[in-house]
C-alpha cells in the first residue's frame, strides 16, 4: 500500500526525476547523475512490483539517465576560456526537466484557480417554458438560391413555350371545320339519314376546342342549307337532319 | 460581529443559490442576529434594487425573500427564449419573388401569365413574410394591385438598393450549367411543368 | 430606440433567467444594437456589481456573461446549504491541461514528450469534460490531431479569455528563484534560458 501511495505521487518519469533532484537538494544545472540514476532505478523497481506496464513507461528515461551517466565518465573537451556546458551530456536533460517543471507549476496554478472557483456558484437556468412562444420563422435566403431558382424558371418557361408551339400546330391540323363537316356527313350517312342529335357528334374525350369546332361546323352546314336543326327547349339537345331537297338536288345533278 | 455590509452581501448570495423564497428567520439564525434586523436588511436590499431600476428585483412573500426578474422586462425575456426556426422558400415562392423583384411593380395577373399558373397563395405567403408588399394599383381594367419587394427583402440578400440585383444575363452566365442540371436531376429543387 | 438603462436592466433579467453564460451577440441582436455596445453595457454592469461589493457578481467567459455568487460569501452559502461541487481534476489532468492551455494548438505527441508518459486516457477524460477539444490537424507526419482549450475550460478556472492565463515564464521565474540564487553564487550562470 505504501508503494501504491508512492506510485500515485508521480505523474510520470519527469515528475519522479524532479522529485528526486529536489529531494536531494541538488542544483538542477549540476545534477549528480550517478546518484540520481541509482535512486531512479530503485523507484522503478518498486513501481514494477505494482504495475509492470506503468514501470515500462519509466524505463525510457532510465535508459537516458544511464547513457548520460556513462558519458559523464569520459573526459570532456572544453575549450580554454570558454564557460558553459554546451557539450555537457546533461544539457538536453536539464532543458527537458525545466520545460516539464514549467508546466508542473502551471498545473499548480490551475489547481489553485480551480479551488478558488469552487467558492463561486452559478444558478440553474429558470424554467423557460413560461417565456417560450411559437418559434419565430427565420428565413434562410441567399442570392445564389434566388439566382438558381430564377434561372431554372427561365429555362423551364422557354421549354414550355417550345412545347406549346408544337402542340398548337398539331391541334390545328387535326381539327379544321372542313374536316369536321366531312366527318358529320359520314356519321349521318352511317345512321341511314335518320335524325341525329348534336350530342351524338361529340366524342367523350372532346375538349372545349373540339366542341367549338363541331358547333361551328354545324353552323356552317346550316348556312350551306345542308341540314335542318331543331331545338325544342332552351339548352336542350339539338336535333339534326339532312336537308333532303338539297341532297336530292345534288343527286340530280 | 459580522458587518451589516457583509451580511447583506451574504443574503444576496444566499437568495441567489437558494432559488426558492428564503425565510428571514433561517437567514438571521445563520448570523446569530435578531430576525427583525435581518428583515430590515432584506427590506433595504429590496429598496436598493427597486430604486436602481435593476433587472433583478427582490420579492417578499410573508417574510420570505427571493430574487425575481423585473416585470418590465418580460417582453425581452420572451424574445430571448423564443426559438428561431429556419425556413426556406419553396421553388414556387422563389420564382414568384424573382418575377416581382425583376418586373416590379407588377400585378398578380402578369405574374400568373408569366408562370402560367395561379399564385394567390404564394403571394399571400410572401406578403406575410414581409418580402413583398402592395405598392399601388395599376390603371388597367379592375385596377389590380401592384406588387413590389420590401426593404426586408433587400436586407435578406444584403442589398442596399434593388439596383444591386444581379443582371439576368449575369445570373445565367454566373450559373454553372452542370450544377444546374445536377440540381434538377437530383430533384433538389422540385419543378412542376 | 431603446434607452441604455432599459437595455442594461433587460440584460440583468436575461442573465438571471438564462443561468448559463449569455452570449453578448445574442443579447445585442435582440435590441438590434452593435455587439460592441452591448459588450460595454455588460462590462458597466459587471463593474457596478463589483464596486458595490454585491453578493451577486457578473462573470465573463469569452464575451459571455453570467450571474454568479461573490466568492467571499462561500462560507455563508455553505452554512445555508451544501452546494454540489464539481469533482476536482487530478494532478495528471491538470498537467496535461496546463500544457494544452499554454501550447495550444498542440498534438498528443508534443504533450507526451513533455511529460515523458502516455496521455490518451487523460485526453479522453478532458475531452469528455468539455475542457479541451480537437481544433484541427497538424501538417506533420500522420497529420495528428491538434488540441485546444474550450470556453468551458475558461469558465471552470474563472478566466475571462485565454489571454488572461498568467505568463508561463513569470510563473516559472518566480518559482525557480532558489535555483537561480544558487547558480549566481556558484558563478555557473553562463547560459541563457
Amino acid at each position: 500500500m505504501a508503494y501504491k501511495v508512492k506510485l500515485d505521487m508521480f505523474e510520470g518519469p519527469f515528475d519522479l526525476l524532479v522529485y528526486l533532484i529536489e529531494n536531494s537538494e541538488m542544483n538542477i544545472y549540476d545534477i549528480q547523475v550517478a546518484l540520481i540514476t541509482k535512486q531512479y532505478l530503485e523507484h522503478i523497481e518498486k513501481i514494477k512490483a505494482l504495475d509492470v506496464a506503468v514501470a515500462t513507461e519509466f524505463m525510457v528515461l532510465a535508459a537516458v539517465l544511464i547513457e548520460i551517466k556513462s558519458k559523464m565518465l569520459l573526459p570532456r573537451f572544453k575549450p580554454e576560456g570558454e564557460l558553459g556546458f554546451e557539450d555537457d551530456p546533461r544539457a538536453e536533460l536539464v532543458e527537458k526537466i525545466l520545460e516539464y517543471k514549467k508546466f508542473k507549476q502551471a498545473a499548480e496554478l490551475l489547481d489553485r484557480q480551480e479551488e478558488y472557483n469552487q467558492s463561486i456558484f452559478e444558478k440553474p437556468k429558470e424554467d423557460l417554458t413560461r417565456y417560450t412562444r411559437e418559434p419565430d420563422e427565420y428565413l434562410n435566403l441567399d442570392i445564389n438560391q434566388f439566382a438558381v431558382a430564377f434561372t431554372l424558371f427561365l429555362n423551364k418557361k422557354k421549354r414550355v413555350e417550345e412545347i406549346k408551339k408544337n402542340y398548337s400546330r398539331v391541334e390545328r391540323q387535326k381539327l379544321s371545320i372542313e374536316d369536321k363537316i366531312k366527318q358529320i356527313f359520314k356519321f349521318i350517312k352511317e345512321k341511314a339519314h335518320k335524325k341525329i342529335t348534336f350530342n351524338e357528334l361529340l366524342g367523350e374525350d372532346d375538349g372545349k376546342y373540339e366542341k367549338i369546332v363541331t358547333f361551328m361546323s354545324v353552323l356552317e352546314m346550316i348556312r350551306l342549307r345542308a341540314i335542318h336543326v331543331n331545338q325544342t327547349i332552351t339548352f336542350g339537345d339539338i336535333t339534326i337532319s339532312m336537308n333532303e331537297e338539297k341532297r336530292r338536288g345534288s343527286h340530280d345533278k | 460581529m459580522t458587518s451589516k455590509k457583509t451580511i447583506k452581501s451574504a443574503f444576496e448570495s444566499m437568495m441567489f443559490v437558494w432559488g426558492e423564497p428564503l425565510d428571514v428567520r433561517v437567514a438571521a439564525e445563520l448570523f446569530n442576529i435578531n430576525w427583525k434586523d435581518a428583515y430590515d436588511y432584506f427590506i433595504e436590499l429590496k429598496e436598493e434594487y427597486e430604486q436602481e431600476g435593476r433587472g433583478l428585483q427582490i420579492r417578499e412573500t410573508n417574510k420570505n425573500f427571493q430574487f425575481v426578474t423585473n416585470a418590465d422586462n418580460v417582453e425581452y425575456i420572451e424574445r430571448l427564449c423564443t426559438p428561431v426556426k429556419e425556413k426556406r422558400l419553396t421553388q414556387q415562392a422563389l420564382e414568384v419573388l424573382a418575377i416581382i423583384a425583376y418586373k416590379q411593380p407588377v400585378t398578380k395577373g402578369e405574374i400568373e401569365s408569366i408562370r402560367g399558373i395561379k399564385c394567390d397563395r404564394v403571394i399571400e405567403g410572401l406578403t406575410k413574410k414581409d418580402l413583398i408588399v402592395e405598392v399601388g394599383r395599376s390603371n388597367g381594367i379592375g385596377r389590380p394591385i401592384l406588387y413590389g419587394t420590401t426593404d426586408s427583402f433587400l436586407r435578406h440578400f444584403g442589398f442596399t438598393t434593388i439596383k444591386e440585383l444581379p443582371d439576368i444575363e449575369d445570373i445565367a452566365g454566373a450559373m454553372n450549367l452542370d450544377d444546374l442540371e445536377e440540381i434538377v436531376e437530383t430533384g433538389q429543387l422540385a419543378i412542376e411543368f
Side-chain angles (χ1 to χ4, degrees), chain B residues 2 5-6 8-18 22 26-27 30-32 45 48-49 51-56 67-70 73 76-77 79-81:
Chain B
T2 324
K5 193 177 154 72
T6 307
K8 279 169 71 181
S9 168
F11 282 177
E12 288 179 310
S13 294
M14 282 154 59
M15 272 192 285
F16 183 74
V17 293
W18 197 244
L22 181 64
V26 171
L30 293 180
F31 289 93
N32 226 343
L45 280 171
E48 282 162 28
Y49 280 85
Q51 275 154 23
E52 291 169 25
R54 294 243 167 248
L56 291 189
F67 271 122
V68 293
T69 55
N70 191 325
N73 296 333
Y76 307 117
I77 299 172
R79 269 200 247 162
L80 176 71
C81 299

Side-chain angles (χ1 to χ4, degrees), chain A residues 37-94:
Chain A
T37 307
K38 181 171 165 281
Q39 290 179 355
Y40 187 87
L41 289 172
E42 279 168 12
H43 269 88
I44 289 191
E45 281 309 307
K46 291 177 192 169
I47 293 167
K48 211 191 275 172
L50 283 157
D51 191 334
V52 178
V54 173
T56 317
E57 301 222 48
F58 284 73
M59 287 307 291
V60 181
L61 186 57
V64 172
L65 286 172
I66 293 164
E67 195 196 343
I68 294 170
K69 186 181 141 192
S70 59
K71 278 189 186 161
M72 293 289 286
L73 298 172
L74 301 171
R76 274 180 293 147
F77 171 72
K78 192 174 175 185
E80 267 315 297
E82 264 188 45
L83 284 170
F85 37 66
E86 279 125 278
D87 55 352
D88 188 319
R90 299 170 296 184
E92 206 186 316
L93 181 68
V94 170

Side-chain angles (χ1 to χ4, degrees), chain A residues 22 62 108 139 181 194 204 226:
Chain A
E22 282 172 357
E108 283 164 20
L139 203 52
I181 291 176
K194 295 234 173 77
E204 265 177 44

